[in-house]
Amino acid sequence: MSSSQARKADGLLVIVTLLAAISWIFSKEAVLLMPPLLFMAVRFLLAGSLLALAGRKQLMRLTPEQLFRGIRVGLVFGVAMSCWITGLFLTDNVGEGAFLTSLGVVFVPVIARIVFKEAQPLSTWLALPVAIAGLALLSLKNGFRPEPGQLFFVIAAAIFALYFTLNTHAANSRTYVLSDGTERHRERLPALALTAIALLTVGCVTLLASSFREPWHPTLSDFSAVLAGWVIASAVVGTAGRFLLQTYAQSLSTNSHGVVILVLEPVWVALFAAGWFGESMSATQLGGCSLIFGSLLINRWSSVRKLLRGL
């Protein structure tokens, strides 16, 4: 891999964090005009359909076992996104929500350790108390009284961690040793096909949840051009475009620097929310967000060190 490819990958991943942050603004504007779960259903079904069309040849070559693993990833992703959009619907501070959701990066190695018995570096355990301290600062309003939106963001972060772990396992070929000593090999799912299946599954999960919990009639009967614009922008730019660009960027580089770059997302969200919605944070909230961001860097310190050495 050439240095120019690595720089290109890093540059593209910075763009990915910007697209992800902009998507928060699109989503917040949309849920002000329509039920949150219905919005997620339309957004992900549209994005998943676009990717399925692009990856139709990959999808046709999947085995039933690969299809099942892709749907399993999408089901977990769907539950996480349902919690996330509920938190976004309830919150008054988008920037704060982005930092809470970013805790999923810290939770990933913990989930991998608990569920898959994977050994984790010391940096993981050093990052956890810092993240918890940041979470506490964001929740200390008139005593320890977490707001409903905050709770949904933290729950979403934990489930996102499980999704990230399952998604990594599904995207890579793996050889397992069974209890009787025999080996079992699982073929990876191509990134485009896996992403399409996951997004479509999220759309189905949120559509089912919305059908039981939310009224559709006012939204469908009064569907405005402005609302359509937010939905399409979220689906095309914030979902299909973002994930395709991220997959392409990761294919250009074999190193893990991208993980460090992706933690810029909550920073961009906070800046955009301040400019778009006029949001501001108290000193305590800023302290909590800073601690959470610090925990992300501690958690990925080996990658940070490699990146600094390469500058």
Side-chain angles (χ1 to χ4, degrees), residues 2-311:
S2 66
S3 59
S4 61
Q5 279 188 310
R7 287 194 297 270
K8 182 178 180 180
D10 290 347
L12 289 174
L13 286 172
V14 172
I15 296 174
V16 168
T17 64
L18 288 168
L19 292 178
I22 292 171
S23 183
W24 278 75
I25 306 301
F26 293 162
S27 297
K28 183 61 178 179
E29 289 286 0
V31 297
L32 293 175
L33 300 173
M34 70 183 296
L37 291 174
L38 180 59
F39 160 68
M40 293 302 287
V42 176
R43 167 187 171 180
F44 274 81
L45 287 174
L46 178 57
S49 298
L50 291 173
L51 294 186
L53 182 62
R56 58 189 180 280
K57 292 183 180 179
Q58 290 184 1
L59 290 169
M60 292 176 64
R61 290 195 293 265
L62 295 181
T63 65
E65 191 269 342
Q66 288 177 307
L67 182 61
F68 169 77
R69 283 192 286 140
I71 293 174
R72 183 178 63 179
V73 169
L75 288 173
V76 175
F77 193 16
V79 175
M81 292 304 298
S82 297
C83 293
W84 174 80
I85 197 63
T86 303
L88 186 62
F89 179 72
L90 295 173
T91 191
D92 292 325
N93 197 307
V94 175
E96 179 184 295
F99 278 94
L100 290 172
T101 305
S102 70
L103 285 170
V105 175
V106 180
F107 293 158
V108 166
V110 179
I111 295 294
R113 175 62 180 171
I114 295 173
V115 178
F116 297 101
K117 310 299 180 184
E118 296 178 3
Q120 299 299 328
L122 177 62
S123 59
T124 293
W125 312 115
L126 293 176
L128 278 175
V130 178
I132 292 171
L135 178 60
L137 284 180
L138 288 177
S139 303
L140 291 175
K141 290 184 178 179
N142 303 316
F144 185 71
R145 295 181 182 177
E147 298 175 355
Q150 293 176 329
L151 292 175
F152 274 106
F153 281 132
V154 174
I155 294 171
I159 303 174
F160 275 133
L162 178 58
Y163 154 70
F164 293 148
T165 305
L166 291 175
N167 197 47
T168 299
H169 281 240
N172 292 275
S173 298
R174 303 181 68 87
T175 300
Y176 298 86
V177 179
L178 302 179
S179 57
D180 59 2
T182 58
E183 292 187 350
R184 182 181 177 186
H185 183 74
R186 283 185 173 178
E187 290 294 334
R188 71 178 184 88
L189 276 76
L192 182 55
L194 174 59
T195 305
I197 293 171
L199 297 188
L200 287 171
T201 305
V202 172
C204 292
V205 169
T206 50
L207 184 65
L208 181 63
S210 176
S211 66
F212 285 103
R213 295 181 53 190
E214 298 174 336
W216 289 5
H217 179 67
T219 300
L220 297 180
S221 60
D222 301 326
F223 205 84
S224 65
V226 172
L227 177 55
W230 292 125
V231 171
I232 293 172
S234 296
V236 177
V237 178
T239 309
R242 170 196 172 184
F243 285 112
L244 270 178
L245 188 60
Q246 181 173 325
T247 301
Y248 174 64
Q250 290 176 320
S251 72
L252 295 176
S253 177
T254 58
N255 60 47
S256 57
H257 296 172
V259 177
V260 179
I261 294 172
L262 291 177
V263 303
L264 289 172
E265 179 183 335
V267 178
W268 293 131
V269 174
L271 292 174
F272 290 164
W276 189 269
F277 296 115
E279 290 185 359
S280 61
M281 294 188 189
S282 66
T284 301
Q285 289 174 309
L286 288 172
C289 291
S290 298
L291 285 175
I292 290 175
F293 185 70
S295 73
L296 301 181
L297 296 180
I298 294 171
N299 185 245
R300 291 293 185 263
W301 177 244
S302 61
S303 298
V304 173
R305 186 171 51 191
K306 291 178 182 178
L307 181 60
L308 293 176
R309 286 177 178 175
L311 293 177

